[in-house]
Amino acid sequence: MRQIRAIACLMVLLLVGAFTAALAAEQPANSTTADLTPAELHRLGERIYREGILSDGTPLRGFIRGDVPVDSTVFSCANCHTRSGLGSLEGQVASPPVNGPNLFKPRYLYADFVKNTISASRGKSRPATAIRPAYTDETLAAALLAGVSATGRDFAPIMPRYDLGNRDMQILISYLKNLSSQVSPGITDTTMHLATIVTDDVSATDRAALLAPLQTLVSINEQRKTQRKDQRFAKMFRMLDNAYYRDLSISTWELKGEPETWPAQLEAYYRKEPVFAILSGISHRSWQPIHEFCERHQLPDLFPVTDLPVISDTDWYTMYASRGYYGEGETAARYVASQDEPVKKRRLLQIVLQSEQGKALAAGFDAAWKESGSPGSVKTIMFAASTPPDAKQLKALFAAHKPTTVLIWGGEQLLTSLRQLSGMKKLPRIYLSGRALEKNLSEIPENLREKVLLTYPFRLPEDEKAYRGFADVLLMSRQKIKDDQRITSRTFSAVHMFLQGLKELKLDFYRDTLLDQISMRPDQYLPDFERYSFGPGQRYASKGCYLVQLGSGPKPRLIKRSDWVVF
């Protein structure tokens, strides 16, 4: 039987080899990669692998289950084998590693050193048996074209067979050889170097609230040096090796001055210390300069404490807890659009303070309103952030535009005007940002609360109690940190997500692998936001928001007026 199987495998390989040679013969004389620079070769290979786009810009054609065509821009290599190429397991479908160091060496059922170690301990020495030989360029081409592994075995029907010409095959194989082949910067034999970022608009109190959990993480990790000498834990540490028990070093990168100067400061920090990832961080300004820096250096940027994230469907390297103010604006638009109200009579007045938060709220509202089909007219009035409208101006706008709904996007500077509206009769429905006013919600007059709806991106307070203790655990014996901005708890969540990825990273110290692993974690239930989870390519962990109203009294309860509105 083995002989028959071997002959069958040989025939398959010969047929595939002939097919490959025929394809090569059909290519024009210049269809090699000799004309490409190494950088261009890498770029084109990356595009085939990640996006399913060939070197000529056309989509890569693929087939599953024999002859069923698939869209390779959706069914790309990276979708199953992950961006780092280290593979994934989803349900019953295992996608093995396809990066160079794994493809071009024999594969073992267990790591060969484990087998040999066991054999040696029993006084014997025997080589481990490979379950697959190392791929060559030819057998890898056969795998991609005909779905036949290096052992001659057919791949599962779900694995696409790709229609690749010789030039694109060479480009893709070259890319795979270099994929996750070098450990990322920021890793030494003993230490993982990380950084966090603080801008100079952050108060000393808020800075301390950010740094305390990070310092505790370093201290707890340091304790493993003592623990691993304890016989009770020694075996566990041997099993885990140094996977995620390397020393952790977290530097604080302080950014000063205007955001236009931040890129140069970041470059200087990075030249001095090329870290493996940015862990958390805080700024009250837009995170955009830091986001773009991390994208440029392919540097993971994990869950900064910001309400002004960059909104992008394609950027990869920054993971955010939420879409911030932009997401609140989206929520308001979707909620208003869903209300049972005649579209012809629906008149919206959007009043925007030209602060970063006001513009982000309005941008989110405008985008979601457009997506919903713009079911009603919207008039937008802008005010400088330093001169918010007073009550007289608001009343004049209400009288002029006769809105059925008013959205006022700004922060604490609006409270005085709102208080002065409290005596006004026949007020329209007013929407405000719950995050922007969170510390001052009780200052909204009681006789106005019936007309005011607030976007609220966090878990409701009565449900939050079960989660608040988590962050205190991380602080442990350290002195209590004053924090009324959710900074400590959000940093705790960043640390938790980082550790979730780190324990799956094992010894594969590649930045893309860390992001892949965090992306694949199941729902995580942490303080502040309802849950942290990611779909393919997503970079915003929490994807919803509530609409709430204020109850009565000086410490008003938040009353839920909507389910979790998903962005």
Side-chain angles (χ1 to χ4, degrees):
M1 179 62 74
R2 286 183 178 176
Q3 190 175 17
I4 294 173
R5 186 178 296 169
I7 292 171
C9 291
L10 180 60
M11 291 183 66
V12 169
L13 287 172
L14 288 172
L15 287 171
V16 170
F19 178 54
T20 307
L23 270 177
E26 290 173 3
Q27 301 303 314
N30 62 353
S31 64
T32 65
T33 58
D35 58 322
L36 300 174
T37 64
E40 186 67 0
L41 187 63
H42 177 84
R43 186 187 71 80
L44 293 173
E46 184 177 88
R47 192 169 67 167
I48 295 174
Y49 180 81
R50 292 182 181 176
E51 303 172 36
I53 301 295
L54 297 172
S55 59
D56 63 2
T58 60
L60 168 63
R61 292 195 306 164
F63 301 88
I64 61 171
R65 303 187 188 284
D67 59 356
V68 179
V70 294
D71 181 355
S72 292
T73 59
V74 178
F75 232 93
S76 70
C77 309
N79 276 358
C80 296
H81 296 280
T82 71
R83 191 170 168 117
S84 60
L86 293 183
S88 65
L89 177 63
E90 186 169 349
Q92 299 297 314
V93 179
S95 302
V98 294
N99 61 320
N102 279 294
L103 281 177
F104 294 94
K105 72 177 183 181
R107 184 182 178 194
Y108 296 87
L109 186 58
Y110 302 105
D112 54 354
F113 76 89
V114 173
K115 275 200 166 185
N116 286 325
T117 300
I118 293 171
S119 299
S121 70
R122 293 174 180 169
K124 299 178 182 178
S125 178
R126 64 185 182 198
T129 301
I131 60 172
R132 169 185 57 72
Y135 274 97
T136 64
D137 287 11
E138 290 73 24
T139 56
L140 184 55
L144 291 164
L145 290 169
V148 181
S149 78
T151 62
R153 182 178 59 82
D154 284 347
F155 290 142
I158 195 66
M159 165 67 190
R161 280 61 170 165
Y162 291 112
D163 186 5
L164 280 159
N166 187 44
R167 176 182 171 87
D168 287 313
M169 182 66 78
Q170 290 180 48
I171 291 171
L172 181 56
I173 289 176
S174 172
Y175 178 75
L176 292 176
K177 284 181 177 177
N178 293 293
L179 179 61
S180 296
S181 61
Q182 299 291 328
V183 170
S184 298
I187 299 291
T188 69
D189 290 342
T190 59
T191 306
M192 174 178 283
H193 294 271
L194 306 168
T196 192
I197 293 173
V198 182
T199 59
D200 65 357
D201 62 324
V202 174
S203 70
T205 302
D206 290 353
R207 185 181 187 279
L210 172 88
L211 295 182
L214 299 179
Q215 291 163 353
T216 307
L217 169 66
V218 173
S219 299
I220 290 175
N221 191 60
E222 183 74 11
Q223 291 170 11
R224 51 93 184 174
K225 289 182 178 177
T226 304
Q227 290 174 347
R228 72 183 307 153
K229 295 177 183 175
D230 188 321
Q231 289 300 315
R232 294 173 297 175
F233 305 120
K235 185 176 181 180
M236 177 187 75
F237 280 104
R238 280 201 303 274
M239 292 172 64
L240 292 170
D241 194 42
N242 287 323
Y244 56 99
Y245 287 100
R246 293 195 178 198
D247 291 341
L248 293 177
S249 165
I250 306 179
S251 300
T252 302
W253 291 1
E254 311 263 4
L255 300 183
K256 300 177 181 177
E258 292 302 309
E260 293 79 12
T261 68
W262 293 357
Q265 297 178 53
L266 289 166
E267 295 289 350
Y269 277 119
Y270 191 68
R271 278 196 301 274
K272 184 179 179 182
E273 183 188 21
V275 295
F276 185 70
I278 303 294
L279 180 56
S280 193
I282 185 170
S283 177
H284 300 309
R285 311 291 295 272
S286 169
W287 201 254
Q288 185 166 0
I290 302 166
H291 175 110
E292 292 175 350
F293 166 81
C294 290
E295 202 68 21
R296 192 161 54 251
H297 287 279
Q298 301 186 344
L299 177 62
D301 182 9
L302 305 177
F303 308 101
V305 181
T306 177
D307 297 309
L308 295 165
V310 172
I311 305 299
S312 170
D313 294 329
T314 56
D315 289 352
W316 176 260
Y317 285 95
T318 299
M319 287 180 156
Y320 294 102
S322 80
R323 295 165 75 88
Y325 290 123
Y326 187 96
E328 289 184 66
E330 289 178 299
T331 300
R334 296 213 164 92
Y335 183 79
V336 173
S338 70
Q339 296 305 292
D340 186 13
E341 181 183 15
V343 172
K344 289 184 179 179
K345 294 183 179 180
R346 182 180 282 160
R347 297 181 302 279
L348 278 68
L349 177 62
Q350 187 176 213
I351 298 170
V352 183
L353 298 196
Q354 291 185 295
S355 59
E356 289 189 292
Q357 63 181 192
K359 288 188 281 190
L361 286 157
F365 177 87
D366 291 342
W369 189 252
K370 185 178 180 181
E371 283 180 10
S372 64
S374 303
S377 65
V378 179
K379 178 69 177 178
T380 299
I381 306 291
M382 309 291 282
F383 284 86
S386 58
T387 56
D390 57 24
K392 184 178 179 181
Q393 288 172 300
L394 288 176
K395 289 176 182 177
L397 288 171
F398 295 170
H401 298 283
K402 296 182 171 50
T404 54
T405 300
V406 177
L407 306 110
I408 307 179
W409 298 139
E412 299 170 6
Q413 61 270 61
L414 291 168
L415 285 169
T416 301
S417 306
L418 291 172
R419 281 193 288 267
Q420 292 170 351
L421 286 180
S422 62
M424 185 178 173
K425 296 180 180 178
K426 294 183 178 181
L427 272 173
R429 172 69 73 197
I430 297 175
Y431 289 77
L432 302 170
S433 164
R435 175 56 172 167
L437 297 170
E438 188 176 17
K439 289 192 298 183
N440 309 91
L441 289 176
S442 61
E443 296 181 32
I444 296 176
E446 286 205 41
N447 59 1
L448 204 62
R449 293 176 186 176
E450 185 183 351
K451 284 292 184 181
V452 171
L453 275 175
L454 298 154
T455 52
Y456 193 74
F458 302 115
R459 186 181 289 113
L460 294 186
E462 61 266 31
D463 300 326
E464 181 69 6
K465 293 176 183 175
Y467 300 88
R468 298 305 300 175
F470 287 3
D472 294 337
V473 170
L474 189 59
L475 288 170
M476 296 188 74
S477 60
R478 290 179 179 274
Q479 63 182 8
K480 187 68 178 176
I481 300 296
K482 182 181 178 183
D483 176 21
D484 58 0
Q485 291 288 320
R486 301 174 182 268
I487 297 168
T488 299
S489 55
R490 289 176 68 170
T491 306
F492 162 78
S493 298
V495 169
H496 174 89
M497 297 300 289
F498 168 66
L499 292 176
Q500 287 289 305
L502 199 57
K503 73 178 183 181
E504 299 297 330
L505 192 67
K506 300 184 174 63
L507 296 175
D508 295 318
F509 292 116
Y510 309 113
R511 290 168 172 174
D512 280 352
T513 308
L514 176 64
L515 295 172
D516 282 335
Q517 292 298 340
I518 293 174
S519 297
M520 290 188 285
R521 296 306 92 208
D523 290 353
Q524 302 292 310
Y525 294 91
L526 298 165
D528 301 315
F529 299 103
E530 280 290 0
R531 62 177 176 269
Y532 281 62
S533 63
F534 295 99
Q538 292 180 348
R539 284 295 176 264
Y540 309 92
S542 178
K543 290 172 274 294
C545 185
Y546 288 113
L547 270 297
V548 301
Q549 279 187 297
L550 294 176
S552 60
K555 295 182 178 179
R557 177 170 167 262
L558 297 184
I559 303 168
K560 189 165 64 174
R561 292 305 185 205
S562 79
D563 291 328
W564 187 248
V565 179
V566 177
F567 303 139

